[in-house]
Amino acid sequence: MRKKVGDREFRAYYDGSQFRADVWNEMKMATAALARSADAGQAELGSLRQVVLDTLAVVGQIEAYWAFPGERACRYLRRLAEKGWYRALSDQTAHLSRMLESDDYRRRGVREIARELDDSTSTEPTTQPFSEAASYEKRPYFEVLVVDTLSQEEEDGVRSAMLNMRRAEDEFIYDLVFAPSCEDAVIAALFNHNVQTCVLRYNFPRESRVKLGELRDYLSLPDQELLAGLDAPDPSVALGRILKSARPELDLFIVTDDPIENIAGRTGGIFRRVFYRQEDYLELHLSILKGIHDRFESPFFDALRQYSLKPTGVFHALPISRGKSINKSHWIKDMGEFYGPNIFLAETSSTTGGLDSLLQPTGPLKEAQDKMARAYGARRSYFVTNGTSTANKIVMQALCRPGDIVLVAHDCHKSHHYALMLAGSMPIYLDAYPRQRYSMYGGVPLAEIKRTLFRLKQAGKLDQVRMLLLTNCTFDGIVYHPERIMREVLAIKPDMIFVWDEAWFAFARFTVTYRGRTGMESAQHLRAAFSTESYRAKYREWKAEFDMLDPDDEDTWTKNELLPDPDAVRVRVYATQSTHKTLTSLRQGSVIHVRDQDFARQVHDAFEEAYMTHTSTSPNYQILASLDVGRRQVELEGYELVSKSVELAMTLRQRLEEHPLLSKHFALLRIEDLIPPEYRASKLTRYYDPKDGYRTMAEAWRTDEFVLEPQRVTVHVGATGIEGDTLRNMLIDRFDIQINKTSRNTLLFMVNIGTTRGAIAYLLEVLMKLAQEIEDKSEDRSPLEDKQHAARIHALTEEMPPLPNFSRFHRSFQPDPDSGTPEGNLRKAFFLSYNEDNCEFLPMNGPIEAEMQAGREVVSASFVTPYPPGFPILVPGQVVSEEILSYMKALDVKEIHGYNPKFGFRVFRREALDQAAAAREEAIARA
């Protein structure tokens, strides 16, 4: 779907941000053309002038939601056009466009912002209110959204009064933007990423007058039930809830004339402060700055910086502290030159002098972790300096005991499997749906989870089940519906603990669409819902109907929506995140988030012990400081950065879909390619269609069982006739383009907050070059080479090996092999393999196949993990299947942990399995 602005047709847009940039660029070109024609003395300027006025009308609708350039700039430009000052119009438009493109407008000083207000209201068109800044402001800039129905004169008065409150000692610079209605406020908060604070003044209507679809689309993003509350006579509290739901980081203030008894207790704590009747602009100003300071403050990073400035004498461990061992050296000075002095000045093994201990934080580290919890909607957050692999082990050890049953996705990261082994818990592996054509897995269907729980219930083992562990989102971008999964699972087992591996999903908290799919947000929603009378009434109605069904029929539990008993349920949720993977942190910087009703009563001490077990007593302070600063960044600009990275990913998807040569050789995998239709209630098949433009994904992310995270751009390369790993090496060796993951016939390009528009353009240019090379080679191939090339394409598109499900644990490692439930004793198998006499090697392509064909149950004695994707296809105690062997033979990755290509698979001898089975039977008999 394309839009006409002036005399130019614009492409489709995912959101308003790039549309804004393109319209300003069109305005710049149109005013330049008008100025050139006027300078050349052309008499007929009517059509050019009309294009400028039409474009300016669109710019005016857009800029109503921004303080800079804002509506006042549009009014000023219109006056220049009306007076015929076309050269001044062109110059000023070009200048404003440059300031927007370069972000220089964020560096205007206090005097420049004040002068813009005065000069832009002048009737003299020769005034240049938006000229080059006289000073370069280093203080961070943000915008305050004021929601009120005001005349232009009243807006200017409020803005002037607030700007007059600013002082030289203020930490930050801000400007004001006004919204005259509830819908305008919602659009402004979601469209304008500079908005950090909202002030709701008195009363305002619901509906906006804006007509642009790119802007009205923002109204589909918030919870639609919350939007219904705007019809109330006084919608201020409802609007506050919507703004807080859409952007939780925002500071909200309300200015009201309502009697105090009408306000007290009605706001639900969503407003930072209520200003009653008489406005005190200084107090409001100071409150706004205090709110920003609370997010800007990074306690541990600040403490570490202060420590680096102290002239200390070092008489503790760590010779590199203060750079001493480097400065004294004659041979490693290049290391000091490469890294610079600050990193060494901030190195210490001391926890005194204003610093803190990670193992027992009481000072700046504790404050930093508390701020992290606030940013992510958690009750508690813990820093981890050895990656999410360690975070996963901490959580597993803290929560699980030997003999507990844990439901876990077969394709979860290998660290979870090792953690299960260390904890002594018994996994039941759940199979994700396969996408065999692309050699990748999706997610574990909810029906599969409920079916497994029902069978455990029938076997009388539900009390042994401790945890459900899933990866959200997966490496390939498949995202679960955590709230729905947890709600229905809790209906079967009300005390289930949920662990969401969000290693690749830390950024999701910071957009309104993604947030509802995170573990912490879902836990918050569930706990709030279970405490309401409306949910209790819904549960009673559901229970009456459900009790009429057959409780022993599996379909009763798997094919019906389930609701948990609000009096029995406990909401217990953990999330582990690799901050360094998708946000700003040094490598291995990770976090554990907790929302567990029973943490203090049941888990705290065990968690502390697990944290002590796996956390170094010498943690890297630079990693900790980067986690602290990374939290500051996402609380103040996470919404902006994540929104822009999603928009860039959508642009990449659009180009891949639209360009005929690119799509011929590098086929973008769409939603319908990666998620089967039965899991897509919204029926959304793709994010961009060349005919219809962008499809809104808000409804799909609210309803569908699985959704596709659009920043994971997977490209099918089977048509090239080149395997994925070969193309990956080609990209890095020839073009310095690095990617994490390939399959036999796909490449995964990951867009993140560090990706630039230039990087996207370069990637597209490289793919175009490769596509053209393939086209050129096709013209030079002989008939025999054509046949060989066709065979390679057929192999990469039609001859994909089956993706293996988890086979089963051997009977020797099943605690109760005749019960019909598939849990296995992973720890027993793992340590049995420590005795070399219990194991032997069976090479692939011969011996292992022969043994299996002879009827032997070949059982793995080790974890076998291809990397990427990084999850085991075999674990100790698992029976090797023919599907697993076929998959191993077809792998195109060279790094396979636990498999020795020289010797083959490490497996248990038959005698060892017999002895293990006998020991199990003896233990059962003794019990």
Side-chain angles (χ1 to χ4, degrees):
M1 192 72 69
R2 297 181 180 269
K3 177 177 290 291
K4 187 102 169 160
V5 176
D7 64 344
R8 184 178 167 209
E9 190 176 58
F10 282 77
R11 64 180 176 87
Y13 292 92
Y14 165 67
D15 64 15
S17 58
Q18 188 57 37
F19 179 60
R20 182 192 186 211
D22 285 356
V23 171
W24 267 104
N25 191 52
E26 172 64 16
M27 181 70 183
K28 180 174 65 174
M29 293 189 294
T31 55
L34 180 60
R36 285 194 301 269
S37 297
D39 291 345
Q42 294 183 14
E44 292 298 325
L45 300 175
S47 60
L48 285 174
R49 184 173 181 275
Q50 191 59 48
V51 167
V52 168
L53 292 175
D54 290 346
T55 307
L56 188 53
V58 177
V59 172
Q61 290 190 65
I62 292 171
E63 291 307 315
Y65 299 99
W66 299 79
F68 183 93
E71 284 187 297
R72 64 188 185 278
C74 296
R75 292 194 302 271
Y76 176 74
L77 295 177
R78 183 172 291 277
R79 285 204 306 276
L80 293 178
E82 291 171 349
K83 294 288 186 178
W85 292 71
Y86 300 136
R87 175 50 57 192
L89 172 64
S90 176
D91 291 345
Q92 196 62 217
T93 301
H95 172 63
L96 290 172
S97 185
R98 281 197 306 273
M99 291 187 74
L100 285 173
E101 291 171 2
S102 64
D103 276 352
D104 276 351
Y105 73 93
R106 298 186 194 230
R107 292 179 277 275
R108 296 169 297 147
V110 174
R111 289 191 301 274
E112 281 76 30
I113 295 176
R115 180 169 56 78
E116 289 166 8
L117 176 62
D118 296 335
D119 289 352
S120 64
T121 57
S122 169
T123 57
E124 176 53 61
T126 57
T127 303
Q128 297 291 315
F130 303 99
S131 57
E132 296 294 339
S135 61
Y136 184 84
E137 182 59 64
K138 294 183 179 180
R139 288 176 290 181
Y141 167 87
F142 67 99
E143 294 181 4
V144 176
L145 175 64
V146 178
V147 187
D148 199 353
T149 305
L150 300 173
S151 67
Q152 188 60 57
E153 183 178 356
E154 289 171 325
E155 281 188 10
D156 291 343
V158 172
R159 185 167 180 268
S160 180
M162 287 296 296
L163 298 188
N164 286 338
M165 294 297 105
R166 294 182 301 188
R167 305 162 302 163
E169 59 267 30
D170 290 343
E171 287 184 278
F172 316 104
I173 297 290
Y174 67 81
D175 203 347
L176 274 66
V177 61
F178 294 85
S181 72
C182 293
E183 289 185 349
D184 285 313
V186 174
I187 293 171
L190 295 174
F191 180 31
N192 183 350
H193 49 72
N194 288 333
V195 170
Q196 297 291 341
T197 303
C198 298
V199 181
L200 280 58
R201 301 173 78 247
Y202 307 106
N203 212 339
F204 22 80
R206 169 173 176 159
E207 294 185 359
S208 168
R209 297 180 186 177
V210 71
K211 302 300 182 185
L212 284 174
E214 286 80 3
L215 302 183
R216 294 202 63 84
D217 283 347
Y218 284 107
L219 295 173
S220 69
L221 300 183
D223 188 322
Q224 299 303 295
E225 291 184 10
L226 288 177
L227 284 176
L230 296 178
D231 291 326
D234 179 6
S236 55
V237 174
L239 176 59
R241 290 197 180 101
I242 293 169
L243 295 175
K244 204 66 177 173
S245 172
R247 292 185 59 186
E249 76 278 10
L250 293 180
D251 292 317
L252 304 185
F253 299 90
I254 186 169
V255 181
T256 181
D257 277 338
D258 267 5
I260 192 68
E261 60 270 17
N262 291 349
I263 294 297
R266 192 164 64 90
T267 65
I270 57 176
F271 294 103
R272 191 176 182 94
R273 181 169 173 180
V274 177
F275 289 89
Y276 181 64
R277 289 190 182 276
Q278 186 175 2
E279 291 180 282
D280 186 332
Y281 285 118
L282 179 58
E283 281 300 307
L284 178 57
H285 167 75
L286 294 175
S287 297
I288 289 171
L289 294 184
K290 187 176 185 298
I292 300 299
H293 173 81
D294 193 35
R295 282 183 273 159
F296 183 80
E297 184 182 38
S298 46
F300 187 72
F301 175 63
D302 295 342
L304 197 60
R305 267 198 309 189
Q306 289 300 314
Y307 170 84
S308 71
L309 300 175
K310 295 180 179 180
T312 60
V314 178
F315 293 96
H316 57 72
L318 208 65
I320 204 173
S321 178
R322 318 292 296 177
K324 302 291 187 181
S325 63
I326 295 174
N327 295 336
K328 290 174 62 177
S329 173
H330 298 290
W331 294 91
I332 62 170
K333 288 187 182 295
D334 54 340
M335 181 181 180
E337 293 167 358
F338 178 75
Y339 285 107
N342 283 346
I343 191 171
F344 304 112
L345 289 172
E347 273 292 357
T348 179
S349 65
S350 173
T351 59
T352 58
L355 298 178
D356 205 355
S357 167
L358 180 60
L359 294 175
Q360 198 169 27
T362 58
L365 265 175
K366 184 178 187 306
E367 289 182 60
Q369 292 185 142
D370 289 344
K371 286 179 180 287
M372 181 69 80
R374 178 191 67 197
Y376 280 86
R379 294 295 188 195
R380 295 171 177 82
S381 292
Y382 295 85
F383 290 172
V384 180
T385 59
N386 196 28
T388 307
S389 294
T390 294
N392 293 334
K393 292 167 189 171
I394 291 170
V395 170
M396 187 66 68
Q397 180 178 319
L399 296 173
C400 293
R401 301 152 298 195
D404 283 345
I405 294 175
V406 174
L407 276 57
V408 55
H410 172 221
D411 62 337
C412 69
H413 188 263
K414 69 174 186 176
S415 59
H416 292 293
H417 303 266
Y418 283 105
L420 283 163
M421 178 274 298
L422 290 172
S425 298
M426 295 185 294
I428 290 181
Y429 286 114
L430 305 171
D431 292 320
Y433 70 80
R435 301 312 276 166
Q436 184 172 320
R437 181 176 176 82
Y438 312 115
S439 293
M440 64 179 68
Y441 291 93
V444 179
L446 176 57
E448 172 72 10
I449 298 170
K450 294 197 293 183
R451 183 178 299 110
T452 303
L453 283 171
F454 171 77
R455 292 175 181 176
L456 286 164
K457 179 183 174 71
Q458 293 296 90
K461 294 184 178 182
L462 204 55
D463 61 326
Q464 291 179 247
V465 179
R466 181 72 168 170
M467 176 190 295
L468 172 64
L469 194 162
L470 297 171
T471 303
N472 190 45
C473 70
T474 69
F475 211 146
D476 299 297
I478 304 301
V479 181
Y480 286 88
H481 197 313
E483 185 173 344
R484 179 183 173 191
I485 288 173
M486 292 192 291
R487 185 174 60 246
E488 297 213 37
V489 167
L490 288 170
I492 303 174
K493 183 169 176 57
D495 62 344
M496 179 74 92
I497 299 173
F498 300 90
V499 175
W500 296 98
D501 182 339
E502 296 180 350
W504 294 98
F505 212 43
F507 65 90
R509 172 77 182 174
F510 305 100
T511 72
V512 59
T513 302
Y514 287 18
R515 188 177 305 115
R517 293 265 174 168
T518 64
M520 292 298 101
E521 185 78 358
S522 298
Q524 183 178 355
H525 285 179
L526 287 175
R527 188 166 181 185
F530 294 154
S531 65
T532 63
E533 185 53 42
S534 60
Y535 176 81
R536 289 177 177 276
K538 183 179 179 181
Y539 171 74
R540 287 192 294 268
E541 182 180 343
W542 170 85
K543 187 71 163 59
E545 295 179 1
F546 188 79
D547 285 346
M548 298 175 66
L549 304 175
D550 182 359
D552 295 322
D553 185 354
E554 188 173 286
D555 287 349
T556 297
W557 297 87
T558 58
K559 294 187 177 181
N560 293 290
E561 181 183 2
L562 307 179
L563 293 182
D565 182 349
D567 293 324
V569 72
R570 307 296 292 172
V571 178
R572 311 189 62 188
V573 184
Y574 295 74
T576 57
Q577 294 179 346
S578 295
T579 308
H580 66 95
K581 281 186 168 70
T582 60
L583 294 174
T584 298
S585 166
L586 292 177
R587 192 172 178 85
Q588 296 190 352
S590 297
V591 182
I592 300 168
H593 299 297
V594 181
R595 253 190 181 272
D596 181 353
Q597 285 182 263
D598 296 329
F599 184 86
R601 187 164 56 89
Q602 296 185 19
V603 180
H604 178 269
D605 292 344
F607 190 95
E608 293 292 318
E609 290 296 333
Y611 197 72
M612 296 283 183
T613 300
H614 296 282
T615 301
S616 171
T617 55
S618 303
N620 187 305
Y621 274 11
Q622 317 314 317
I623 295 177
L624 294 172
S626 71
L627 286 169
D628 194 14
V629 175
R631 186 276 315 157
R632 178 214 286 178
Q633 181 182 44
V634 293
E635 277 205 294
L636 287 164
E637 58 181 344
Y639 179 76
E640 172 187 359
L641 294 174
V642 176
S643 297
K644 286 184 175 179
S645 67
V646 174
E647 192 273 328
L648 282 177
M650 291 296 193
T651 299
L652 175 58
R653 288 176 171 274
Q654 177 179 348
R655 297 295 189 268
L656 289 170
E657 289 265 42
E658 284 185 335
H659 198 284
L661 184 58
L662 283 177
S663 59
K664 176 181 177 182
H665 297 286
F666 301 102
L668 174 72
L669 294 191
R670 305 163 182 163
I671 301 169
E672 62 185 342
D673 297 315
L674 297 177
I675 303 175
E678 60 265 32
Y679 307 125
R680 290 184 280 111
S682 69
K683 300 189 178 355
L684 187 66
T685 59
R686 60 208 294 189
Y687 286 129
Y688 176 78
D689 185 281
K691 293 181 180 178
D692 301 325
Y694 285 102
R695 311 287 180 82
T696 177
M697 66 181 190
E699 183 61 24
W701 279 65
R702 277 193 285 265
T703 62
D704 291 359
E705 182 169 346
F706 298 104
V707 290
L708 175 65
E709 203 286 287
Q711 293 178 103
R712 313 303 167 87
V713 182
T714 303
V715 174
H716 185 252
V717 298
T720 67
I722 307 173
E723 290 188 340
D725 194 56
T726 302
L727 274 170
R728 173 170 61 175
N729 292 330
M730 192 181 299
L731 288 172
I732 183 62
D733 292 341
R734 290 181 55 188
F735 304 105
D736 296 319
I737 291 177
Q738 302 177 21
I739 60 175
N740 281 98
K741 178 183 179 292
T742 65
S743 72
R744 188 160 178 249
N745 59 11
T746 66
L747 302 176
L748 174 63
F749 299 101
M750 298 177 62
V751 181
N752 57 50
I753 66 169
T755 306
T756 64
R757 199 164 293 276
I760 297 293
Y762 178 58
L763 173 60
L764 289 166
E765 180 185 337
V766 166
L767 293 179
M768 184 74 74
K769 184 172 184 178
L770 290 175
Q772 191 60 58
E773 288 179 1
I774 293 169
E775 288 287 305
D776 294 342
K777 287 180 180 178
S778 67
E779 298 176 0
D780 299 331
R781 283 196 297 263
S782 67
L784 179 58
E785 289 172 326
D786 264 338
K787 189 175 181 180
Q788 291 173 334
H789 182 69
R792 287 195 296 270
I793 291 176
H794 186 270
L796 291 175
T797 55
E798 305 297 334
E799 297 178 355
M800 302 305 294
L803 288 173
N805 287 333
F806 182 83
S807 53
R808 58 185 171 83
F809 282 104
H810 187 267
R811 286 180 60 88
S812 301
F813 304 112
Q814 294 181 30
D816 189 7
D818 298 321
S819 68
T821 59
E823 70 273 14
N825 195 326
L826 185 61
R827 182 182 178 90
K828 177 182 177 182
F830 181 86
F831 283 106
L832 185 67
S833 71
Y834 269 36
N835 185 339
E836 290 297 325
D837 293 338
N838 292 330
C839 304
E840 63 180 321
F841 285 93
L842 290 178
M844 197 154 49
N845 298 320
I848 191 170
E849 289 92 337
E851 290 288 335
M852 292 170 64
Q853 289 170 4
R856 175 181 172 182
E857 286 189 319
V858 177
V859 180
S860 178
S862 63
F863 292 97
V864 178
T865 309
Y867 214 94
F871 62 85
I873 61 166
L874 284 171
V875 302
Q878 180 183 350
V879 175
V880 181
S881 66
E882 293 182 3
E883 291 79 11
I884 291 172
L885 284 183
S886 298
Y887 182 76
M888 284 287 291
K889 291 175 182 177
L891 280 174
D892 64 344
V893 298
K894 304 301 185 289
E895 185 177 353
I896 305 176
H897 304 169
Y899 173 77
N900 190 323
K902 183 177 180 181
F903 300 113
F905 292 93
R906 189 165 180 259
V907 302
F908 285 111
R909 296 182 184 276
R910 293 176 179 175
E911 298 80 9
L913 295 173
D914 292 340
Q915 291 171 8
R920 187 204 64 228
E921 295 299 330
E922 183 179 341
I924 292 174
R926 283 200 305 267

